[in-house]
Amino acid sequence: MSKYIPVPESTLKILSIGFHVPGVDLRSYNPSRLLGSDEIWEQIAGLFLACELGDSSALRRIPAIMKGSDAYLVWRAVTNLAGLASTLGFVKDVFKPFEKDGSGSEYFMATALGLTLDPDAIRMLLTLHNDASDEETRYQIERELSYLLEDTNGPISRGADESIESEDEDTVHVINREEYFRKVGDALSLMLGQLPGPNTPILGGKVFDVVKLARQLLERVGGAAPEIGRVHRHRLIFEAATGVNCAAFFDSPVKLNSLQATAILETFLESDDARKFVPRQRYFFGHPIGD
């Protein structure tokens, strides 16, 4: 740009749930200038833009951004980016400085681990679950396990059984992890036996495939019971992989616009762009991850 025009923070916060900012062409900005801004949301926009352009080295700035803010939306934005634009090893490195520091990072780490689509993330999620002391983190871990291992809401999404027991005058909240971990382990073993090889990304208990995801999402958004949480997750993965603007999928966080979503997905599936994506490969805005 010939003249730098700051983007309002309120506008950039949309990056916590997607990759396109309404009314703003991020590609018209210089990512280095955004990354050097004093405004944290402009720094986040710079991260997104750098990765969109194929420069994943900018992701190394994520821990510093997290340390500089305790805002939920800031952590959500960089957590999504870490998981969707990088690898399991990178996610582990991002969250290492926050281990058991009381920041609540386990909730966000669970999300990032799930978004890597790496089968090895499942064992790490179980470890986080075993150590989780708050229910919100535990529920998020269970959602991530379900997204990886189930193609629809099932026993894993329903989570570990819980009960209340009394010991003398104390009330004890009991989580039946043993039975739940067995269910996850069984699903994991079944899935691993069907994978063509190591380092194969997964989603819904199957080999990850961008085009198949688009077809599945098309079927889901047109169904009578689309499972909104799963639509949100699949839309996020699809948008990150392809760069297709999917903001019109929802009129509000809980109100799916089936007609708009269908049109977006059909346009992609009928385009030449769909042929660029191969099975067993993750992408960020069309750039292969891990290559």
Side-chain angles (χ1 to χ4, degrees):
M1 295 180 67
S2 59
K3 182 179 180 182
Y4 176 69
I5 303 175
V7 186
E9 176 182 303
S10 59
T11 301
L12 291 175
K13 284 182 177 179
I14 196 70
L15 293 174
S16 65
I17 59 171
F19 296 93
H20 293 273
V21 182
V24 177
D25 178 13
L26 282 183
R27 282 185 175 245
S28 66
Y29 286 76
N30 184 320
S32 296
R33 189 162 190 175
L34 289 171
L35 288 167
S37 171
D38 293 331
E39 300 296 328
I40 196 164
W41 278 102
E42 289 199 353
Q43 294 174 35
I44 292 171
L47 285 179
F48 277 62
L49 179 56
C51 290
E52 178 182 338
L53 296 174
D55 179 14
S56 61
S57 66
L59 292 171
R60 293 195 295 265
R61 298 170 179 257
I62 287 179
I65 290 176
M66 293 166 69
K67 288 179 180 178
S69 175
D70 61 359
Y72 171 82
L73 291 182
V74 167
W75 277 58
R76 181 172 175 179
V78 296
T79 291
N80 287 346
L81 188 62
L84 288 164
S86 69
T87 62
L88 182 66
F90 178 80
V91 169
K92 290 164 64 176
D93 290 343
V94 163
F95 284 91
K96 192 170 184 60
F98 305 97
E99 287 181 356
K100 300 180 180 179
D101 67 348
S103 64
S105 65
E106 294 82 5
Y107 175 96
F108 296 95
M109 183 177 184
T111 300
L113 289 172
L115 288 170
T116 66
L117 309 185
D118 192 318
D120 290 340
I122 292 170
R123 297 295 182 192
M124 297 179 65
L125 286 166
L126 290 176
T127 298
L128 284 178
H129 192 291
N130 194 60
D131 296 339
S133 58
D134 69 286
E135 63 181 18
E136 282 305 315
T137 296
R138 194 170 71 252
Y139 294 161
Q140 184 61 27
I141 294 167
E142 291 166 353
R143 284 190 287 269
E144 297 302 333
L145 289 167
S146 176
Y147 292 150
L148 290 172
L149 291 168
E150 298 178 311
D151 62 2
T152 189
N153 293 342
I156 295 175
S157 72
R158 289 193 285 272
D161 291 336
E162 304 175 44
S163 61
I164 303 294
E165 297 181 4
S166 296
E167 294 183 1
D168 297 327
E169 296 181 356
D170 296 326
T171 298
V172 180
H173 195 195
V174 178
I175 311 299
N176 187 352
R177 287 188 170 91
E178 182 177 354
E179 176 64 18
Y180 183 67
F181 284 14
R182 183 189 63 76
K183 292 177 183 178
V184 173
D186 289 347
L188 176 59
S189 296
L190 179 63
M191 181 197 63
L192 290 175
Q194 299 173 351
L195 295 183
N199 304 316
T200 301
I202 60 167
L203 184 64
K206 300 179 178 64
V207 174
F208 176 65
D209 181 328
V210 171
V211 175
K212 285 185 178 179
L213 171 61
R215 291 175 180 145
Q216 181 186 24
L217 193 49
L218 179 61
E219 182 178 349
R220 190 179 294 279
V221 299
E227 297 182 354
I228 294 299
R230 212 165 282 266
V231 172
H232 273 292
R233 171 53 58 92
H234 288 182
R235 178 205 67 85
L236 187 67
I237 295 170
F238 172 74
E239 183 172 271
T242 63
V244 172
N245 188 343
C246 297
F249 266 46
F250 289 90
D251 293 329
S252 74
V254 295
K255 187 178 180 182
L256 175 66
N257 188 324
S258 297
L259 291 177
Q260 289 279 12
T262 296
I264 291 168
L265 292 164
E266 287 181 341
T267 298
F268 168 77
L269 289 168
E270 293 168 1
S271 71
D272 291 337
D273 289 341
R275 301 187 183 94
K276 301 175 183 177
F277 299 94
V278 300
R280 299 176 57 187
Q281 177 64 59
R282 295 173 63 227
Y283 299 86
F284 189 80
F285 274 71
H287 302 289
I289 298 172
D291 285 6

